Amino acid sequence: EAQVTQNPRYLITVTGKKLTVTCSQNMNHEYMSWYRQDPGLGLRQIYYSMNVEVTDKGDVPEGYKVSRKEKRNFPLILESPSPNQTSLYFCASMGQGARRNQPQHFGDGTRLSIL
Amino acid sequence: GDSVTQMEGPVTLSEEAFLTINCTYTATGYPSLFWYVQYPGEGLQLLLKATKADDKGSNKGFEATYRKETTSFHLEKGSVQVSDSAVYFCAHTQGGGGADGLTFGKGTHLIIQP
């Protein structure tokens, strides 16, 4: 089954404690992306990756890091989490075949609470 | 810059009512337009899409037409069901060069009452 898998689904942690949210897709997609969803703001892109070893900032990259060492994985790293990063996070992937015509496939989300 | 504007809701309707969720966008070039749906506790799923002017996307009884002259992509359904209760997001890709990320509206929470 084609899917985007995020882990963990839920995490409560404290300010300053480094955490990583993993994202894996099994569709051999080149493009992967991270979004955060906040009430009244919709979804905003954090980082994206066009392919292995190619990453770039989205609209709200501050406080986040990503890496793309393998095609299937695109982890989101919070080196020193702060309460304003409490949010619902989504990973997405897309095949590059027709680029802007392709839909993005989303994971089920990771709800982070930073105390 | 690029943006998407949609009614935020919540929109509350009775079962079998007619649904319209308005969406307008600003973008350079010729973006592709999408409606995504998010059911409670789940990620976003593509509902329908349109890739050029006057295209109509349709799925599960929902329809939306790409109107370039009014920069709109309103979502409609003739007879809604309780199972349609969800949050609906209008989105577009960037029409010019550059990133392939989606620009989302803030989402419309739809509640269908039996």
Side-chain angles (χ1 to χ4, degrees), chain A residues 33-62:
Chain A
S33 179
W34 277 102
Y35 297 88
R36 60 178 289 175
Q37 182 181 9
D38 300 290
L41 296 175
L43 277 85
R44 295 176 292 169
Q45 190 179 44
I46 302 170
Y47 268 94
Y48 65 95
S49 170
M50 302 289 280
N51 215 323
V52 175
E53 301 292 1
V54 180
T55 64
D56 211 342
K57 296 177 180 179
D59 298 320
V60 288
E62 294 77 19

Side-chain angles (χ1 to χ4, degrees), chain A residues 19-83:
Chain A
L19 67 91
T20 300
V21 184
T22 63
C23 175
S24 180
Q25 50 92 6
N26 62 0
M27 295 167 279
N28 201 36
H29 284 167
E30 291 84 1
Y31 179 93
M32 296 185 75
S33 179
W34 277 102
Y35 297 88
R36 60 178 289 175
Q37 182 181 9
D38 300 290
L41 296 175
L43 277 85
R44 295 176 292 169
Q45 190 179 44
I46 302 170
Y47 268 94
Y48 65 95
S49 170
M50 302 289 280
N51 215 323
V52 175
E53 301 292 1
V54 180
T55 64
D56 211 342
K57 296 177 180 179
D59 298 320
V60 288
E62 294 77 19
Y64 303 95
K65 286 174 57 177
V66 293
S67 69
R68 189 85 184 276
K69 294 186 173 61
E70 306 163 285
K71 198 172 189 179
R72 63 182 293 124
N73 295 323
F74 190 46
L76 179 70
I77 303 156
L78 285 71
E79 292 272 3
S80 182
S82 62

Side-chain angles (χ1 to χ4, degrees), chain A residues 8 11-21 63-64 76-83 85-86 89 112-115:
Chain A
L11 179 64
I12 301 173
T13 188
V14 296
T15 298
K17 185 176 181 181
K18 180 180 178 180
L19 67 91
T20 300
V21 184
Y64 303 95
L76 179 70
I77 303 156
L78 285 71
E79 292 272 3
S80 182
S82 62
Q85 293 178 298
T86 293
Y89 291 84
L112 287 184
S113 293
I114 316 296
L115 304 178

Side-chain angles (χ1 to χ4, degrees), chain B residues 44-110:
Chain B
L44 279 72
Q45 303 172 25
L46 178 68
L47 180 60
L48 53 84
K49 69 176 185 179
T51 58
K52 60 183 187 296
D54 300 324
D55 265 4
K56 178 186 283 188
S58 61
N59 186 26
K60 298 181 181 180
F62 291 89
E63 292 183 341
T65 301
Y66 191 144
R67 300 285 188 203
K68 189 164 176 62
E69 65 276 12
T70 55
T71 62
S72 64
F73 194 52
H74 305 321
L75 183 69
E76 296 182 336
K77 186 173 185 181
S79 177
V80 292
Q81 306 300 313
V82 172
S83 58
D84 293 327
S85 298
V87 181
Y88 292 81
F89 291 91
C90 185
H92 73 70
T93 55
Q94 295 174 1
D100 291 290
L102 289 163
T103 298
F104 284 91
K106 293 181 179 180
T108 300
H109 187 193
L110 177 65

